[in-house]
Each structure stands twice: as C-alpha cells, then as structure tokens.
DNA sequence: CGACCATTTGATATGGATCAAGCGATGTGG
DNA sequence: CCACATCGCTTGATCCATATCAAATGGTCG
C-alpha cells in the first residue's frame, strides 16, 4: 500500500497543467502507481471517495455484500478503465483486485477543483459517470434474462472489452462471473458446458474461451 | 404534443439568465409544459436526446423491450424528478407516462452550452447523472433478491419517495411494478397478499398500501 | 345492468438453487 | 520425483421459488 504522502506529492501542481484535459491522460501523467494483490481491497463500501483509479494491468471488481451473505458484483474493470469516481463523497460499493493488479491513483478533489475552472474537465467527469450509468443499465438488462442469456451476454461483453479476436481469456474465476450475473457457480459452469456442447463456444481450458459469435448472437435473445 | 417551435421560444435567452444555477430551477423558470396521456410515449429508445424533462404531476417510467417481448422498466419518476438527461446524444431507454402526466421540457443543448460557461451548472448536470447512477445501482441490488424482498424493497422505496406517512398510494398498476422488479404480475399480487396476511401491510384497495415499517424492515433482508 | 380491465387466486410446470460427490490442475513436503 | 493436499471447476440428484396457464373476482364506466 502506497502512503498518502506519495500520492499527494504526485498529485500536486495539477493547477499548472495546461492543455491536457482528458481525465485519462491526467491520471496517466500524474497518477501514483499502486499494486494490489489478488482479492485485496482497494477501497471499502462507505469509505470517503478521495481518489480516482485507472487500471493499468489486472482486473478489478466492485461489489457489495447483501444481508444474507451473498455478494453482488456491480462492475468489472479491465486495463485502461477508470473506476472509483463518485459524485457523492462516499464509495457506494467496495472495490477489490480480482487478479494481481496495478492501478494509477489520483486525488478526486484535485480533479473536481480543476473541473470548476476547466469546463472541458468538467465535461469529462460527467461523461465518465454517464458511461458508468450506461454500463449499469446494460447490467440490469442482463440480470432479468435466463441463465443462458446472461452467460452469453457476459461472454460477448468480455469479447468486446478485452482486445482480442474470438479467443478470449476470462479475467476472473467462476465465482466472480456468478456473482456478476446473479447466478451460482454451478449454473455458470453447466451453462458453459452446454454452450460448448451446442458448438457455440470451445473451452480449451476453464479460463480460455473460443467464441463462435455467429452462434452466440443467435442465443443472445 | 407541443410543437418544437413553442419549446424553442421558451428555451431562448437562457444565456441572459444570471444567478440561477440549479437545473431544477432553470427548468421551472423556462421549461415548456407538456401533457401526456396515460401510456403515451414521451420519447423513444434511440431517439435524439434533445430535451430534458421534469415531472410536474403524474408518474413516468423508462423502459426497454427485450428480444422475447418482455419489458424491463429502468426507472420510475415522480413529481419533482428530472429525467431524460443523457450524456450521449441518444436516449437509451424509452419514456412513457404511467398515469396522465404533466412535465416541463427544456432544451438539453441550452443546458450543455450553459454548463460550458457556468461551472455550477456543469456540476449540477454531473450530480443529476450521479444520482441516476446511484438509483440504478440500488435497482440492481433489488433484482438479485427474492420476490418478497423485491416487493418489500419497492414499497419502502416508494414510501421514501412519495411524501406521505405510512399510507401510500401506488402510482402504477401491478404490471408496471412487475416489470420494474423483474417479476410477473401474479407473483407481485401473491406477494402482496402474503405480506398482508403476515400483517406487514394492509391493502384497503389495490392501489393503497398501509405500511407497517417495523415489520417490513425485518423482511427486507 | 353489463362489458371491460385490473387484480387475485388456483393448479401445475420448470429453471435454477442447493446439496453432494468427483475430477483435474497446481503446488508442497518428504 | 512422487504422494498428497488444496483449490477451482464440473457433474449429478433433488428441491423449491417463481413462471405459466387458467379461471374467478372485483371495480369502473357506459
């Protein structure tokens, strides 16, 4: 865990930055790198949302534990994705590294005060939140479908997001897929074997999936 | 349906407005009133998102039809709520009036250009999108629970949002509740009668619900 | 009163959860 | 280098919550 001091040092002086207005490039220029081991917490639910994060490598999830102990995964972030941005001052979900991950961290207050002066930055913050909203809305649509449709939807989403061809490497174990889709690991597993039997995918290893998009598209009601 | 001309006329001159920076009050001052009959469309999925809306009276839903014909309701808007704000240029859901409704309409482009000059307005737009995000995230948590928990969650949400005591008037028929919760009307109906039998609610009419919050809270895992 | 629509109630079917066991890869200690 | 423990995944058997199909009831408006 990086110390607060280090982050402040790197975050300092943002007011002087000029001509750079993409939040992503601000993070890339001034973010402090931090490493998180598999399953370690990046921030907790209810904690003050003091930082904004960008995934450099690895995979991150946000999640919430329900009263009955079940866990719901809200979002999944892959390399390049920005997460942890809140409009309120508190994180509404917690965030954990799914695999060993490297992220860049930048102070939220610095961005917000920059946004007050620079309308381009303000627009970017808005856009980031809007993208998040769009993803969550898509997620809702997934959650009301059948198990097969959820799994197919998940695979197609991953195929879009990991820059690869038809062979994708799942960035997470079955349990995380299940908690993202609101299913059990057994159902996820069975559904994948079913898809394999139907020739819609191939599973050379449990983490590698060969997608036959034509067939999947047909199953993706 | 109000003509475009009328809306443009009222929307004109926003640049001259000064000292008023809440989006809600901008809409109230300059919005054009429109009326929509029960079940009529306010805007369609995929249409350009040229306007922003505020409910004056009535109830509005946003929805999407899934490939199999089922309908998912994304959000519900009551008097005072702002809806239709998009970061992209297109509406991702359609919006319909659940009951006869009156809404105020304002041009999105006017707000966006105002936001470019006025950081307070920019911050407001961001906040509105952030609130929407928070609601959708809560909605996701509802959708992975049992039928009883979903219905209880819905009732408690309504109790918070309609300014009333323990007796609330449901602003929508069973079918809309079902489509919001990802259930069938039969399950919603049965669950309500069950809650009544358990003494957690009373149902003097199908639209009026007397909430015994103590009991409901206990059921709301 | 009668027609229509929303809601409730009933009977049955089924998709996914649960409980349980087996399997295959990875890693560790002897 | 092999035996064994561990962990993630798959497969199997059964159960149960909710969907589906069907009919009855109730409330509203002409």
């Amino acid at each position: 865990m990086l110390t607060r001091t280090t982050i402040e040092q790197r975050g300092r002086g943002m007011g002087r930055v000029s001509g750079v207005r993409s939040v992503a490039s601000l993070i890339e220029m001034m973010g402090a790198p931090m490493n998180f081991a598999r399953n370690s917490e990046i921030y907790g639910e209810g904690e003050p949302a003091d930082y904004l994060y960008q995934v450099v490598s690895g995979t991150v999830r946000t999640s919430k534990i329900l009263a009955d102990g079940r866990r719901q995964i809200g979002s999944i972030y892959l390399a390049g994705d920005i997460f942890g941005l809140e409009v309120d001052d508190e994180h509404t979900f917690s965030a954990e590294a799914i695999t060993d991950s490297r992220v860049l961290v930048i102070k939220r207050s610095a961005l917000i005060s920059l946004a007050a002066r620079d309308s381009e930055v303000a627009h970017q913050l808005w856009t980031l939140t809007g993208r998040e909203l769009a993803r969550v809305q898509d997620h809702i649509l997934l959650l009301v479908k059948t198990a097969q449709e959820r799994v197919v939807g998940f695979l197609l989403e991953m195929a879009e997001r990991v820059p690869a061809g038809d062979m994708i490497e799942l960035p997470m174990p079955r349990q995380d897929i299940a908690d993202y889709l609101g299913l059990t690991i057994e159902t996820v597993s069975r559904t994948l074997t079913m898809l394999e039997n139907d020739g819609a995918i191939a599973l050379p290893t449990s983490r590698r999936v060969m997608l036959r998009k034509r067939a999947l598209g047909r199953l993706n009601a």
Side-chain angles (χ1 to χ4, degrees), chain A:
Chain A
M1 184 82 177
L2 218 62
T3 64
R4 171 157 302 213
T5 318
T6 311
I7 297 171
E8 306 262 347
Q9 282 166 352
R10 300 207 94 220
R12 209 179 286 158
M14 208 157 359
R16 278 179 266 115
V17 174
S18 66
V20 177
R21 279 151 155 179
S22 124
V23 169
S25 60
L26 284 170
I27 299 179
E28 274 150 32
M29 285 175 54
M30 292 176 313
M34 295 178 78
N35 292 307
F36 292 92
R38 189 164 111 84
N39 285 323
S40 63
E41 180 178 279
I42 299 174
Y43 54 75
E45 184 184 336
E47 285 182 9
D50 292 334
Y51 300 98
L52 185 63
Y53 305 80
Q54 184 178 37
V55 179
V56 175
S57 64
T59 308
V60 170
R61 66 174 174 251
T62 55
S63 68
K64 218 166 196 170
I65 305 296
L66 306 181
D68 63 352
R70 273 177 40 254
R71 179 184 67 168
Q72 179 60 35
I73 292 184
S75 299
I76 293 164
Y77 301 97
L78 308 176
D81 291 339
I82 290 171
F83 69 97
L85 175 60
E86 305 278 344
V87 175
D88 274 338
D89 293 327
E90 271 187 15
H91 288 297
T92 53
F93 282 69
S94 69
E96 304 97 30
I98 294 183
T99 60
D100 291 347
S101 298
R102 187 173 181 78
V103 303
L104 291 171
V105 184
I106 196 170
K107 280 210 93 171
R108 172 176 170 274
S109 62
L111 285 173
I112 288 184
S113 67
L114 186 52
R117 279 172 282 131
D118 186 330
S119 73
E120 185 63 31
V121 171
H123 192 270
Q124 284 256 340
L125 290 181
W126 183 37
T127 300
L128 284 173
T129 299
R131 272 206 233 305
E132 197 64 27
L133 175 58
R135 272 202 192 152
V136 177
Q137 283 171 334
D138 283 347
H139 195 176
I140 280 199
L141 296 177
L142 260 197
L143 290 179
V144 298
K145 295 185 179 175
T146 64
Q148 188 181 66
E149 289 167 335
R150 295 188 211 192
V151 171
V152 169
F154 171 78
L155 292 175
L156 292 175
E157 180 190 340
M158 286 301 132
E160 263 180 25
R161 292 178 58 187
V162 307
D166 287 349
M167 181 68 93
I168 64 174
E169 178 84 20
L170 297 180
M172 60 212 284
R174 296 287 183 271
Q175 185 64 62
D176 287 300
I177 299 175
D179 290 347
Y180 180 68
L181 297 178
L183 299 171
T184 59
I185 54 172
E186 293 96 329
T187 298
V188 170
S189 181
R190 276 188 244 274
T191 304
L192 287 170
T193 37
M194 240 200 52
L195 291 172
E196 187 170 34
N197 293 339
D198 294 355
I201 63 172
L203 279 163
T205 79
S206 70
R207 289 294 193 110
R208 284 197 166 280
V209 190
M210 163 80 189
L211 306 176
R212 308 206 202 286
K213 292 190 185 169
R214 196 63 48 87
L216 284 174
R218 256 178 282 120
L219 297 175
N220 189 218

